[in-house]
Amino acid sequence: MRYSQLLIPTTKEVPAEAEVISHQLLLRGGFIRKLTAGVYSYLPLGFRVLRKVMTIVREEMDRAGAQEILMPMVQPGDLWMESGRWQHYGPELLRFRDRGERDCCLSPTAEEVVTDLARRELRSYRQLPVNLYQIQTKYRDEMRPRFGLMRGREFIMKDAYSFDADDEGASASYEKMRVAYNRIFTRFGLDYRMVDADSGSIGGSFSHEFMVLADAGEDTLVLCRDCDYASNVEKAAVSAPEPRHDTEAPQEMQRIATPGKKKVASVAEFLNVPPEKIIKTLIFRADEECVAALVRGDREVQTVKLKNLLGASEVEALNEDQIWEHLRLPVGYIGPVNMPLRVAADNEVMDMVNAVCGANEKGFHYQGVNPKRDFSVQMTGDLRQVAAEDRCPHCGGPLHFREGMEVGHIFKLGTKYSAAMNATFQDAEGGQKPFVMGCYGIGVSRILAACIEQNHDDKGIIFPVPLAPFQVILLNLGMDDADLTQRAEQLYQELLAAGVEVLFDDRDERPGAKFNDADLLGIPFRLTVGKTFKKEGKLELRDRKSGETTLLAAEEAVAEVKARIAKALDL
Ligand code: ATP
Ligand code: MG
């Protein structure tokens, strides 16, 4: 296509509202424009990338035997009441009423609608397994829409749902999706990891996330250096502590003044004890209840683990003002002795001897605290976040951390929705059984952001060939030279005829502006018809990623470009 005829509104200025690089470059490159918070239009280049993503997703879903459908975006509230999520989904679900006063919502996901479809259309075990998918706009009224396409309120998702007769079948369907997802992310040309994940509010038994490695990612991954263990930090298990062999005799518990010492480090210094001798007490709201969570002073509470231990659907740390206002507990001096709330303790805490903790009184701590003797605990378990010194739970190898962006998530759901919504089929013996389900999401529009977070430099985007809006950008630098212009036009036609996706920069712009835009847009290969061509009859081919340039005779150029593209697209 001709650059002069496309809407590609590039800008030099970095937009003030854009904090992360992908958001900046998507705006500067004219890929997207904001309508309102978290809601974007895709301009021609942005939409071309989106279509590339969708095509690869479709091809691999179809290859895995899934069937594409398209379900409505407006969903009846009744279905959500049947599943129980009308009450539980929270404010991300955009609810409204139609003129007949019926409750409705905009689809944030489609378990209810697809389960309703299945209970109407799938009657017998002979029709199973079935996997239905769609690529559709979703709406979630996120509390903090931010980072452009990374966390929108309106975004595009591929969501798939499998229906099986039994658990074995459901595992096979899950496995097919696991393979398909690995093919999809490999074909995108992105550096990603599949990690063990928490099942979250969608529920169900186990799940994996697909993470694109990028520093701006909102998730932390725990990876082993020696084996292929990879987990979301939310889920990464810590093995139970070794039994203690030291023989420290338990002391009396004593209340001591620690004026102004509110932080673990300052209490440790003041009392001359190591931080691992201190019990850190944090207050959380878990659904309707407030609870206290205990970890060693040198550890962090992992909120998702706490949520799972409590069986809560939402857990949130309370801040100092809330804790004082609602509970009259002085932050910095809170402890489990005589704690009015239920207490959940990390495994390590239960093994502590002669520990220090807050006395629930401003300016005071207790010393010589022994958990089993001095306070009561309602729940114990693995509550703390994995730390750098922990070992791999599979092989004992050293762990390391990376930041990542969640671009896909696959779940084994079991019968959570089919049982709640009475979605059954007739089995071989003639009885009625609920479907065993799985669900599988890909953040189609988020992939644009993830791709750019991972692939850019200070000049702009560096698209991997499979996702690039165009494969080649052809620059005519001799707009006022009839000979060069004629050659560039001819080359453009040849590239088109060879099936190459080419953007022809035929604008009446200075060479500098054309080079800058080509770099900003991130098109993998740049062909220049300019001075060298005039002098030596050679074209310049430049690789956006490596920066390498090659001089080619005009006759060779098309074949060389085609060969490079074919190589990059080869799975
Ligand atoms: P997150 O933890 O990032 O909020 P999620 O667990 O809510 O994601 P799912 O319900 O599993 O996400 O949705 C499937 C996929 O949709 C995610 O893997 C992600 O890539 C994408 N996605 C989810 N929320 C958004 C959003 N607000 N904007 C863009 N993409 C999103
Ligand atoms: Mg979410």
Side-chain angles (χ1 to χ4, degrees):
M1 296 181 103
R2 289 172 187 274
Y3 201 135
S4 59
Q5 289 163 20
L6 274 175
L7 178 61
I8 311 179
T10 60
T11 59
K12 280 208 191 62
E13 307 73 42
V14 177
E17 77 211 75
E19 294 168 60
V20 296
I21 195 79
S22 60
H23 190 192
Q24 292 171 6
L25 292 174
L26 283 166
L27 289 171
R28 284 190 53 212
F31 291 80
I32 58 169
R33 283 296 179 261
K34 178 165 115 177
L35 177 62
T36 178
V39 180
Y40 292 87
S41 298
Y42 300 90
L43 304 195
L45 284 190
F47 193 60
R48 286 182 73 95
V49 183
L50 211 54
R51 281 213 322 241
K52 292 268 173 106
V53 173
M54 294 194 275
T55 300
I56 291 174
V57 169
R58 272 203 179 96
E59 286 175 5
E60 294 302 332
M61 291 302 291
D62 292 347
R63 183 200 303 275
Q67 310 173 48
E68 186 169 7
I69 61 172
L70 183 58
M71 290 181 280
M73 194 187 171
V74 172
Q75 304 185 343
D78 289 349
L79 287 182
W80 287 73
M81 291 170 203
E82 273 193 62
S83 73
R85 286 207 291 185
W86 189 256
Q87 288 78 20
H88 287 123
Y89 205 89
E92 269 185 30
L93 186 63
L94 188 66
R95 302 155 209 248
F96 56 96
R97 290 224 165 115
D98 65 11
R99 66 165 81 194
E101 290 297 307
R102 281 173 290 260
D103 283 312
C104 302
C105 62
L106 284 188
S107 175
T109 175
E111 283 78 11
E112 282 77 2
V113 172
V114 79
T115 304
D116 178 61
L117 188 67
R119 73 182 165 184
R120 292 166 191 270
E121 306 304 332
L122 303 174
R123 298 289 170 81
S124 154
Y125 71 98
R126 288 198 191 86
Q127 292 171 278
L128 303 178
V130 167
N131 186 331
L132 301 172
Y133 80 96
Q134 63 175 346
I135 297 177
Q136 186 218 33
T137 299
K138 297 288 185 292
Y139 195 93
R140 293 183 184 179
D141 207 352
E142 299 271 357
M143 186 156 62
R144 270 189 296 276
R146 56 184 185 157
F147 303 157
L149 298 185
M150 239 158 113
R151 186 163 298 283
R153 291 200 294 177
E154 187 177 298
F155 58 98
I156 300 172
M157 194 205 283
K158 186 285 297 177
D159 44 329
Y161 306 88
S162 62
F163 297 87
D164 277 275
D166 52 30
D167 213 49
E168 205 184 332
S171 296
S173 293
Y174 186 88
E175 180 58 17
K176 276 193 189 146
M177 286 296 104
R178 200 180 60 77
V179 172
Y181 272 48
N182 279 297
R183 286 185 63 94
I184 288 169
F185 292 106
T186 304
R187 282 186 62 187
F188 288 159
L190 300 177
D191 188 10
Y192 76 96
R193 297 287 183 282
M194 182 182 86
V195 303
D196 298 341
D198 183 66
S199 306
S201 70
I202 297 210
S205 34
F206 74 91
S207 77
H208 288 98
E209 284 165 344
F210 291 78
M211 299 278 190
V212 166
L213 299 179
D215 293 337
E218 295 179 295
D219 287 275
T220 303
L221 282 54
V222 184
L223 306 167
C224 177
R225 291 197 189 278
D226 291 349
C227 75
D228 59 5
Y229 174 76
S231 177
N232 191 316
V233 75
E234 296 174 350
K235 170 89 180 175
V238 174
S239 16
E242 300 280 309
R244 295 172 60 100
H245 298 298
D246 58 354
T247 50
E248 202 179 324
Q251 297 160 358
E252 287 286 289
M253 191 171 85
Q254 272 183 3
R255 177 172 163 278
I256 38 170
T258 52
K261 309 295 172 200
K262 293 174 71 176
K263 296 252 177 263
V264 168
S266 51
V267 176
E269 195 191 345
F270 183 70
L271 298 177
N272 195 23
V273 295
E276 57 262 33
K277 275 282 187 192
I278 295 177
I279 298 173
K280 187 150 85 180
T281 308
L282 296 143
I283 308 295
F284 291 86
R285 185 185 58 72
D287 298 335
E288 305 307 315
E289 182 194 2
C290 288
V291 295
L294 313 181
V295 286
R296 246 170 50 176
D298 57 334
R299 306 298 196 191
E300 301 302 329
V301 173
Q302 172 43 251
T303 319
V304 172
K305 289 184 179 179
L306 177 66
K307 187 181 86 175
N308 292 340
L309 184 71
L310 297 171
S313 53
E314 224 183 313
V315 165
E316 177 194 37
L318 295 185
N319 66 30
E320 182 156 358
D321 292 343
Q322 293 167 323
I323 295 171
W324 182 250
E325 194 180 317
H326 300 303
L327 306 165
R328 296 282 153 202
L329 289 169
V331 167
Y333 307 97
I334 303 180
V337 179
N338 299 322
M339 167 56 68
L341 307 174
R342 287 209 298 160
V343 175
D346 180 59
N347 291 324
E348 274 181 341
V349 170
M350 301 315 291
D351 273 354
M352 291 169 81
V353 179
N354 300 330
V356 171
C357 67
N360 295 329
E361 187 183 340
K362 196 166 178 227
F364 290 91
H365 278 80
Y366 286 119
Q367 229 175 2
V369 179
N370 290 282
K372 286 167 196 139
R373 182 193 70 190
D374 296 328
F375 57 85
S376 50
V377 166
Q378 282 68 43
M379 290 146 292
T380 56
D382 173 13
L383 278 191
R384 73 171 173 92
Q385 178 136 327
V386 169
E389 65 272 19
D390 284 312
R391 310 300 291 184
C392 169
H394 286 180
C395 75
L399 297 175
H400 65 120
F401 296 85
R402 294 286 294 271
E403 303 308 317
M405 290 173 66
E406 180 194 323
V407 286
H409 201 165
I410 58 179
F411 290 89
K412 246 174 116 170
L413 285 176
T415 56
K416 181 178 154 105
Y417 293 92
S418 49
M421 295 179 63
N422 199 23
T424 61
F425 64 94
Q426 192 165 56
D427 69 8
E429 284 75 48
Q432 290 293 317
K433 271 199 187 151
F435 297 106
V436 186
M437 292 173 58
C439 74
Y440 318 93
I442 291 185
V444 169
S445 49
R446 184 182 281 182
I447 284 163
L448 268 68
C451 169
I452 295 171
E453 286 299 332
Q454 190 175 80
N455 300 283
H456 65 268
D457 62 14
D458 55 356
K459 297 196 173 63
I461 305 169
I462 307 174
F463 274 111
V465 177
L467 297 185
F470 288 93
Q471 296 161 335
V472 178
I473 184 163
L474 173 65
L475 307 188
N476 175 13
L477 300 188
M479 293 300 292
D480 43 13
D481 182 320
D483 189 30
L484 283 185
T485 299
Q486 192 260 324
R487 276 309 317 215
E489 286 285 344
Q490 190 185 338
L491 196 58
Y492 174 52
Q493 296 304 333
E494 285 170 16
L495 287 164
L496 284 180
V500 173
E501 296 169 13
V502 52
L503 177 61
F504 181 27
D505 193 348
D506 59 342
R507 294 174 302 164
D508 192 10
E509 288 281 351
R510 287 173 302 102
K514 290 191 177 182
F515 286 135
N516 287 345
D517 280 336
D519 280 346
L520 175 63
L521 300 181
I523 298 180
F525 303 110
R526 188 185 80 192
L527 266 176
T528 311
V529 182
K531 278 202 202 92
T532 340
F533 189 75
K534 191 92 187 159
K535 269 192 268 162
E536 322 166 21
K538 293 270 165 99
L539 301 167
E540 188 193 87
L541 172 63
R542 181 164 173 276
D543 182 310
R544 174 71 180 88
K545 189 167 181 188
S546 67
E548 248 174 76
T549 56
T550 320
L551 290 181
L552 295 169
E555 312 79 65
E556 301 170 299
V558 176
E560 174 64 20
V561 163
K562 273 196 82 169
R564 291 199 194 184
I565 293 167
K567 190 161 168 245
L569 292 180
D570 193 28
L571 187 58

